[in-house]
């Protein structure tokens, strides 16, 4: 059964108290116009990863962290006035890029109750979806993603159905209503909050008469804009081509058959065949480009493996920072290590992993790695393309899972991150420490409730420094300890070994005697063997 009218959730909708509170923050609209009220709420930042910092111009964009890169991104201005009408326009003149005017579309589908994730804190519904997430919250996040991609959100539509329509995703009646909305608003693009089958996208485009894209294409576009390293650009292009390949569409003469076989050479009877159509030629070229990109990414892998292996040979413990987009991962990395990574109050501001050295209070060295942010329903193509990057999480000794404590649905963020980590072999086995960031923006009642649900979580503010010393202590306590106990006297001529014990081992006592340096410590097996070989005791 479908409900063919704009929805402002009624009493029978399953809406959490957090989402109700978020809606109260939306701009006031006439109560007798539910469609306008829905569009107003969707266009607000309430309920999205940007909600906690909305209206805080002083929060997030640190002057000393990536100011030049933010300025370069802002130099590309988006202007109105260009229309697409189903054409993939890429005009760029004087760094002015087309500003798309979009209408958002979402489905409200029945969901079952949430259940715990084994071994993790958080809850998950069917297919990894958060049980507390409703269609409107998801559509608000889609609006934030659309604005990050440089679009102007004009209106929004939610359809309540038992399942997506196999033809037009929405159903014929609602698709016609969407076409009227597009004409009234002068929109040139529709963004669907879900993944469309190629046939659904074509059928919906035929009804509404403008370009239709889905959530996956939107996220891929944002990644394409923000990728800056050679590996990152190759990974994003590969993901885009994997998404595009089954969605190629022929138009008019581009589907006409070309001469094939030996016909072009004048071979005559018995040699004529249908040949290769234009769309088949495009598919073949895309497959060739994908194969080349995979080879390039594999060629870049040894460099990452060498760096990772050099840290392992130390062995130097590693800590990976992961979390929902805009939760404050880069800010926390800067606060802990002074890395100077670009910080911006935006979704997917940083994509490329950054590794920095840190030193524990007892002198041990370990690394901190900042990874790409996650989001609900992260495209599978991105997970596959960024597998080499995401493996940093699986290879880590400790996982710092950063959560925005001021977000209206922090538990939903945890669920979304765990859903992505579950697709990375070994990532769910890494010891996890949940870090509730932005404590300076969260109210005391919310923090108390979160600490009740997540008793082992650390509460910090990367911006003010609140809780950072305690976080460092907890991270250092979770780092792996060397296994082999040694009690040796190292000759003074081998000060390099003593230095390695200080850097990589866990020292109990150090005493300077006549024959050398008397060291009692715990080290790894390789270093223990070297120390035993030079023991002068």
């Amino acid at each position: 059964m479908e409900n063919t009218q704009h929805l402002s959730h009624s009493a029978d909708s399953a809406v959490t108290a957090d989402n109700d509170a978020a809606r109260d923050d939306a701009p006031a609209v006439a109560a007798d116009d539910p469609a306008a009220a829905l569009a107003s709420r969707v266009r607000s930042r309430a309920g999205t990863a940007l909600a906690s910092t909305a209206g805080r111009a002083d929060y997030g964009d640190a002057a000393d962290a990536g100011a030049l890169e933010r300025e370069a991104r802002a130099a590309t201005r988006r202007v109105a006035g260009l229309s697409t009408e189903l054409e993939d326009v890429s005009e760029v003149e004087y760094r002015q890029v087309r500003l798309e005017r979009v209408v958002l579309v979402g489905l409200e589908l029945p969901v079952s109750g949430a259940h715990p994730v084994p071994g993790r804190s958080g809850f998950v519904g069917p297919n990894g979806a958060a049980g507390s997430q409703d269609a409107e919250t998801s559509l608000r996040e889609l609006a934030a993603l659309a604005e990050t991609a440089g679009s102007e959100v004009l209106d929004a539509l939610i359809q309540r159905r038992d399942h997506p329509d196999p033809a037009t995703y929405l159903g014929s009646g609602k698709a016609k209503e969407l076409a009227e909305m597009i004409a009234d608003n002068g929109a040139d693009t529709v963004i669907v909050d879900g993944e469309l089958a190629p046939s659904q996208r074509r059928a919906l485009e035929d009804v509404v008469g403008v370009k239709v894209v889905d959530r996956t294409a939107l996220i891929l576009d944002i990644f394409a804009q923000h990728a800056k390293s050679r590996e990152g650009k190759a990974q994003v292009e590969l993901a885009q081509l994997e998404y595009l390949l089954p969605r190629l569409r022929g138009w008019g003469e581009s589907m006409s058959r070309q001469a094939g076989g030996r016909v072009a050479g004048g071979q005559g009877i018995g040699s004529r065949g249908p040949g290769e159509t234009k769309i088949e030629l495009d598919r073949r070229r895309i497959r060739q480009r994908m194969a080349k990109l995979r080879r390039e990414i594999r060629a870049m892998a040894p460099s990452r493996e060498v760096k990772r292996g050099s840290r392992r040979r130390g062995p130097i413990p590693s800590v990976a920072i992961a979390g929902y987009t805009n939760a404050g991962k880069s800010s926390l990395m800067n606060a802990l290590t002074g890395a100077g990574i670009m910080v911006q109050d935006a979704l997917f501001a940083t994509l490329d992993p950054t590794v920095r050295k840190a030193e524990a209070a007892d002198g041990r060295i370990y690394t901190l790695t900042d990874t790409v942010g996650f989001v609900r329903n992260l495209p599978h193509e991105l997970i596959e393309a960024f597998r080499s990057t995401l493996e940093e999480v699986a290879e880590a000794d400790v996982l710092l899972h950063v959560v925005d404590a001021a977000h209206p649905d922090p538990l939903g963020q945890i669920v979304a991150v765990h859903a992505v980590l579950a697709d990375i072999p070994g990532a769910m086995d890494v010891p996890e420490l949940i870090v509730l960031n932005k404590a300076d923006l969260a109210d005391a009642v919310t923090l108390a409730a979160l600490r009740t649900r997540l008793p082992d979580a650390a509460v910090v503010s990367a911006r003010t420094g609140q809780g950072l010393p305690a976080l460092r202590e907890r991270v250092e306590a979770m780092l792996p300890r060397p296994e082999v106990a040694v009690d040796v006297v190292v000759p003074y001529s081998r000060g390099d070994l003593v230095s390695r014990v200080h850097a990589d081992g866990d020292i109990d006592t150090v005493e300077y005697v006549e024959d050398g340096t008397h060291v009692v410590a715990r080290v790894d097996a390789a270093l223990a063997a070297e120390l035993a070989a030079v023991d002068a005791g």
Side-chain angles (χ1 to χ4, degrees):
M1 294 294 294
E2 66 177 71
N3 184 348
T4 57
Q5 53 184 318
H6 297 285
L7 298 179
S8 56
H9 288 260
S10 56
D12 60 347
S13 298
V15 182
T16 63
D18 285 335
N19 289 333
D20 287 334
R23 288 174 189 163
D24 294 339
D25 296 335
V29 224
D32 58 350
D33 190 353
L38 172 64
S40 177
R41 291 196 302 269
V42 167
R43 286 194 297 267
S44 72
R45 287 188 171 192
T48 71
L50 300 172
S52 58
T53 52
R56 295 292 302 270
D58 61 331
Y59 203 98
D61 295 353
D64 58 343
L68 292 178
E69 186 173 347
R70 287 197 305 273
E71 183 179 349
R73 289 184 181 181
T76 302
R77 301 187 304 276
R78 294 185 174 266
V79 296
L82 294 174
S83 179
T84 63
E85 295 187 355
L86 291 180
E87 294 180 6
D88 187 13
V89 179
S90 58
E91 290 90 341
V92 178
E93 184 177 0
Y94 301 112
R95 297 184 65 79
Q96 293 184 348
V97 185
R98 171 177 51 89
L99 174 65
E100 292 174 303
R101 297 163 58 84
V102 305
V103 172
L104 308 181
V105 176
L107 285 186
E108 183 178 10
L109 303 172
V111 295
S112 59
H115 58 273
V117 179
R120 294 296 194 189
S121 301
F123 298 86
V124 62
N127 301 320
S132 62
Q133 180 194 14
D134 64 350
E136 186 175 321
T137 302
S138 182
L139 211 61
R140 288 175 182 169
E141 184 172 73
L142 188 70
L145 289 168
E147 290 170 357
T148 300
S151 300
E152 178 186 3
V153 179
L154 302 178
D155 211 337
L157 186 70
I158 292 181
Q159 164 78 324
R160 182 182 294 142
R161 293 182 61 93
D162 291 334
H163 55 80
D165 182 73
T168 60
Y169 189 76
L170 294 174
S172 57
K174 189 59 98 176
K176 292 177 181 177
E177 184 180 337
L178 176 61
E180 295 174 0
M181 180 188 296
I182 291 168
D184 293 342
N185 286 280
D188 57 23
T189 304
V190 171
I191 303 179
V192 176
D193 189 21
E195 186 167 349
L196 294 177
S199 59
Q200 289 175 319
R201 182 177 66 87
R202 290 195 297 268
L204 192 56
E205 282 181 345
D206 291 340
V207 176
V208 301
V210 297
K211 182 174 69 174
V212 175
V213 298
D214 57 16
R215 184 186 183 94
T216 299
L218 177 61
I219 295 176
L220 289 173
D221 183 80
I222 296 172
F223 271 60
Q225 291 182 42
H226 291 177
K228 60 180 183 179
S229 70
R230 181 166 170 259
E231 184 177 12
K233 291 177 180 178
Q235 289 169 329
V236 171
E237 184 181 355
L238 176 60
Q240 288 179 312
L241 291 176
E242 288 178 342
Y243 173 80
L244 175 64
L245 183 60
R247 291 169 173 81
L248 284 181
R249 181 177 183 180
W251 290 91
E253 293 181 356
S254 67
M255 286 293 289
S256 62
R257 295 186 181 276
Q258 303 172 345
R262 293 174 290 172
V263 175
Q267 298 297 320
I269 295 174
S271 62
R272 297 181 177 89
E276 186 176 39
T277 62
K278 178 65 166 61
I279 197 169
E280 289 170 346
L281 182 61
D282 291 341
R283 285 175 180 152
R284 180 160 55 84
R285 287 175 174 170
I286 288 177
R287 291 191 185 99
Q288 289 174 345
R289 178 61 180 166
M290 289 170 60
K292 182 180 179 182
L293 287 170
R294 289 193 178 99
R295 288 195 300 270
E296 291 179 355
I297 293 173
R298 282 197 300 268
M300 299 174 199
S303 173
R304 187 180 299 279
E305 288 296 331
V306 166
K307 294 176 182 177
R308 188 183 297 158
S310 65
R311 297 195 297 267
R312 286 294 183 189
R313 281 194 300 271
I316 300 177
S318 62
V319 178
I321 302 177
Y324 209 80
T325 181
N326 209 50
K329 299 181 299 300
S330 297
S331 298
L332 184 63
M333 179 82 160
N334 289 340
L336 292 175
T337 66
I341 304 172
M342 189 199 74
V343 175
Q344 188 174 19
D345 186 22
L347 304 181
F348 299 117
T350 53
L351 298 182
D352 299 304
T354 304
V355 181
R356 291 292 184 271
K357 182 177 73 172
E359 184 175 348
D362 57 5
R364 286 185 300 156
I365 302 298
Y366 63 97
T367 61
L368 280 165
T369 305
D370 182 23
T371 62
V372 63
F374 302 150
V375 73
R376 290 183 177 91
N377 305 320
L378 190 68
H380 182 73
E381 293 87 354
L382 275 177
I383 298 176
E384 287 299 318
F386 277 75
R387 184 166 296 277
S388 61
T389 299
L390 295 176
E391 284 174 356
E392 294 285 350
V393 176
E395 294 287 338
D397 296 299
V398 178
L399 171 63
L400 287 188
H401 182 170
V402 183
V403 180
D404 184 353
H407 188 273
D409 186 18
L411 295 180
Q413 287 193 347
I414 295 174
V415 168
V417 172
H418 285 167
V420 177
L421 293 178
D423 287 335
I424 308 171
M428 297 295 284
D429 299 326
V430 179
E432 178 189 45
L433 172 59
I434 292 182
V435 181
L436 300 175
N437 190 27
K438 302 185 183 179
D440 55 320
L441 297 181
D443 62 84
V445 176
T446 301
L447 278 177
L450 283 174
R451 299 195 73 167
T452 300
R453 297 290 297 274
L454 307 167
D456 296 327
V459 179
V460 305
S461 170
R463 182 170 179 264
T464 65
Q466 173 187 344
L468 291 183
L471 174 63
R472 287 191 180 94
E473 292 178 3
R474 293 194 59 180
V475 169
E476 293 168 11
M478 294 178 68
L479 294 175
R481 297 282 177 175
E483 299 177 351
V484 182
V486 294
D487 185 350
V488 295
V489 176
V490 182
Y492 288 119
S493 60
R494 295 305 308 270
D496 60 310
L497 291 179
V498 177
S499 177
R500 286 173 57 188
V501 173
H502 278 281
D504 304 331
D506 190 358
I507 295 179
D508 292 330
T509 62
V510 174
E511 183 182 2
Y512 299 100
V513 297
E514 182 179 352
D515 295 332
T517 306
H518 181 205
V519 177
V520 179
R522 300 187 70 86
V523 296
D524 63 274
L527 182 54
E530 292 187 56
L531 291 171
V534 300
D535 184 11

